[in-house]
Amino acid sequence: MYRVFEALDELVAIVEEARGIPPTRSCIVPRGDVLELLDDVRDALPGELDDAQDVLDHRDKIVSDARNAAESTVTGANEQAEQTIGSAREEADRMLADAKAHADRMVAEASAHADHLVNSAQIEADRVVAEGNAEFEAVTGRAGAEADRVIEAGKASFERSVAEGKAEQARLVAQTEVVRAAHAESARLIDGAQEEADRMRDECDHYVDSTLADLEETLSTTLRTVGRGRHQLRSGTGSPDYASDFRR
């Protein structure tokens, strides 16, 4: 660049010292010297000016390519976020379906077991009552002297058997608590599955938000770099270094 300024100074000196052509303001300068100095100026100019001119000529293409790359990145991030959210929803639905099926199965098994216990108790009570009635009728058929005593004994045995049967029935019916426990367990499983689904959904939302934040920072850096490069090219302050921002 020093040779450029030196040649320009020499051109100014030649023009100032050139002989004028009256009455005009024109002058006679040595063509060979002037052309030689202009060649020196042309050779001394840095090649980066041509590169800068090429960048200026293609600035619209550079901005368009950067915009297309940014839009492609945003589209990819949105698609990935939608796939992640869809997978999380499918997993949550599957967990809820499994929990509901397990709960329904436990309730059905508990109900079947309780029904079996109640039926067994009812059959046993009916058998005991039937045996007591049979014994009572058999005793009442005995002779007159033993009739009242046998009748009372039969009644006592009957009442005792009925009481025992009812007690056994009540004990077996009490086992229906298993049904209520099954309902409580199913509710707990469904609540746990719902909480897990909410947690996974929150994690997906956080992941999408952080990805979009990173993308926003990258786009901002790219736009700032392009703007600074255009400013440097327009003002002639030097050749922009687009890679400097991405090395930070």
Side-chain angles (χ1 to χ4, degrees):
M1 290 299 293
Y2 176 76
R3 179 54 188 159
V4 173
F5 295 111
E6 185 180 35
L8 291 176
D9 291 339
E10 292 180 9
L11 283 173
V12 171
I14 289 175
V15 173
E16 289 177 348
E17 296 174 0
R19 187 176 58 189
I21 301 176
T24 67
R25 300 184 62 183
S26 301
C27 63
I28 299 174
V29 296
R31 177 182 299 173
D33 294 341
V34 172
L35 292 176
E36 182 179 355
L37 290 173
L38 290 175
D39 289 337
D40 290 343
V41 171
R42 184 188 317 172
D43 294 337
L45 287 175
E48 288 79 357
L49 291 179
D50 291 336
D51 296 338
Q53 185 61 44
D54 292 339
V55 172
L56 288 175
D57 294 338
H58 295 84
R59 62 183 182 273
D60 293 336
K61 183 178 182 302
I62 293 174
V63 173
S64 177
D65 292 343
R67 184 179 293 108
N68 291 335
E71 292 176 353
S72 176
T73 303
V74 171
T75 301
N78 289 333
E79 291 177 353
Q80 184 179 4
E82 290 176 358
Q83 292 176 358
T84 303
I85 293 173
S87 299
R89 288 177 177 173
E90 291 177 358
E91 181 65 18
D93 292 339
R94 185 189 65 78
M95 292 179 63
L96 288 174
D98 292 343
K100 186 176 184 303
H102 181 67
D104 292 341
R105 185 171 62 255
M106 291 184 62
V107 170
E109 292 176 355
S111 297
H113 182 65
D115 292 339
H116 175 70
L117 293 177
V118 171
N119 291 333
S120 298
Q122 186 64 47
I123 292 172
E124 180 65 18
D126 293 341
R127 186 187 64 80
V128 171
V129 171
E131 291 179 353
N133 288 330
E135 183 178 358
F136 172 75
E137 291 175 358
V139 171
T140 56
R142 295 178 181 179
E146 296 291 327
D148 293 337
R149 186 183 62 81
V150 171
I151 289 172
E152 292 298 327
K155 288 182 178 180
S157 178
F158 169 77
E159 292 174 355
R160 184 173 60 254
S161 298
V162 170
E164 291 175 354
K166 290 182 178 179
E168 180 65 13
Q169 182 181 9
R171 183 185 66 81
L172 294 175
V173 171
Q175 294 186 5
T176 56
E177 292 291 334
V178 175
V179 176
R180 287 191 290 273
H183 282 292
E185 179 64 15
S186 66
R188 187 186 65 79
L189 291 174
I190 291 174
D191 291 341
Q194 186 64 46
E195 291 176 358
E196 181 65 17
D198 293 339
R199 184 186 65 78
M200 293 180 67
R201 186 176 295 107
D202 291 339
E203 291 179 355
C204 290
D205 292 341
H206 178 73
Y207 172 78
V208 171
D209 182 69
S210 61
T211 302
L212 292 178
D214 294 339
L215 176 60
E216 181 181 10
E217 179 63 24
T218 302
L219 292 177
S220 298
T221 302
T222 302
L223 293 177
R224 287 196 303 270
T225 302
V226 172
R228 185 167 56 256
R230 293 182 63 190
H231 175 72
Q232 291 176 346
L233 291 174
R234 288 196 300 270
S235 61
T237 57
S239 177
D241 184 7
Y242 293 104
S244 62
D245 289 318
F246 299 98
R247 289 196 296 266
R248 295 175 180 172

